[in-house]
């Protein structure tokens, strides 16, 4: 993949009005102001809708398009590009669209040539059992898949579930809470996978130090959108030939406070944000399914319900 790049020749800056941030939900000092992806999109799309002058509207649409492609949200990019075109943007979005389509088609072609028997897990955080009404793609997959109806989380929190999956340790009984980092030494799952020639990778903005040995060498923010996680899954597959075991962990849109780069995904009531977030993740999975390797096995899962 080294010959494929996306270049951004312009930078966009906007000083947003001071307002309360969803960052107050978690006071861990290691978390950055990374919900700004969602905040900035929400602010600019609102300004676009309120603005009457076509030229200024085109600038807001351009900023939204930039944010979308930066987050590798190609569905949203095309929507924002159309808004910019409608308002006579100076940027050649039609040409950019065509170039992007050619690039993605080449990615798809290369992925379809992949022969490895990969295992890819989509960990969709905080979706309660039986509450997938907003996730049409997931439900379609479920109809064709083996579904485990008596699979229970060891505890309704994300990192304890991660420890149990990899190390077979319950939080209290087996003192799993003492495990600060999962690696080949303490993980029977990693040892088993590596003995079968699998490279083990996780892609998440939330796992932190516990997954330091498996996380791809990319620093993600706490609110990293589903689209960017899936993009790096694609890049991991395109940059390797051997078998891959990859966990893609989606947190921002489906876990409280449910933040997504959608019109209703930031500055709205909690229930509205949650619905928008679940639909966003589901739509991204559907879109990126065109890049799923042909010989891979896929696991769709969640870890707990609301409030975990």
């Amino acid at each position: 993949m080294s010959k494929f790049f996306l270049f951004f020749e312009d930078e966009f800056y906007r000083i947003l009005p001071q307002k309360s941030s969803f960052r107050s939900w978690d006071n861990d000092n290691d978390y950055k102001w990374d919900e700004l992806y969602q905040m900035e999109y929400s602010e600019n799309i609102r300004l676009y809708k309120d603005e009457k002058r076509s030229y200024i509207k085109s600038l807001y649409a351009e900023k939204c398009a930039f944010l979308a492609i930066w987050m590798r949200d190609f569905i949203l990019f095309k929507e924002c590009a159309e808004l910019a075109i409608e308002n006579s943007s100076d940027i050649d979005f039609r040409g950019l669209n065509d170039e992007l389509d050619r690039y993605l088609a080449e990615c798809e072609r290369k992925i379809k040539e992949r022969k490895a028997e990969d295992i890819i897990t989509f960990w969709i955080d905080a979706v309660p059992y039986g509450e997938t009404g907003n996730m049409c793609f997931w439900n379609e997959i479920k109809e064709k898949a083996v579904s485990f109806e008596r699979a229970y989380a060891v505890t309704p929190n994300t990192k304890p579930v991660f420890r149990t999956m990899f190390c077979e340790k319950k939080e209290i009984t087996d003192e799993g809470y003492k495990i600060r980092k999962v690696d080949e030494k303490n993980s029977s799952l990693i040892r088993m996978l590596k003995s079968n020639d699998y490279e083990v990778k996780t892609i998440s903005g939330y796992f932190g130090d516990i997954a330091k040995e498996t996380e791809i060498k990319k620093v993600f923010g706490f609110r990293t959108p589903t689209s960017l996680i899936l993009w790096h899954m694609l890049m991991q597959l395109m940059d390797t030939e051997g078998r891959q075991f990859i966990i893609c962990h989606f947190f921002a849109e489906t876990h409280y406070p449910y933040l997504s780069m959608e019109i209703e995904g930031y500055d709205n009531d909690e229930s509205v944000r949650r619905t928008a977030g679940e639909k966003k993740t589901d739509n991204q999975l559907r879109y990126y399914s065109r890049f799923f390797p042909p010989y891979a096995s896929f696991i769709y899962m969640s870890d707990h319900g609301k409030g975990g």
Side-chain angles (χ1 to χ4, degrees), residues 210-223:
I210 195 171
K212 193 171 183 179
E213 294 297 312
T214 58
E215 193 75 5
I216 65 169
K217 303 304 179 184
K218 169 76 177 176
V219 178
F220 291 106
F222 188 33
R223 310 291 186 208

Side-chain angles (χ1 to χ4, degrees), residues 121-173:
T121 297
F122 299 122
W123 181 331
I124 307 169
D125 210 292
V127 178
Y129 179 78
E131 296 187 25
T132 57
N134 295 318
M135 310 188 81
C136 298
F137 179 71
W138 190 357
N139 290 329
E140 291 170 15
I141 293 295
K142 185 178 179 181
E143 290 298 315
K144 300 179 288 185
V146 175
S147 182
F148 295 89
E149 296 183 350
R150 293 189 178 184
Y152 300 96
V154 65
T155 187
N157 297 97
T158 300
K159 291 181 182 179
V161 172
F162 185 91
R163 281 191 285 263
T164 301
M165 285 175 60
F166 277 90
C167 302
E168 300 181 280
K169 300 290 185 182
K170 295 180 180 179
E171 282 296 277
I172 304 302
T173 308

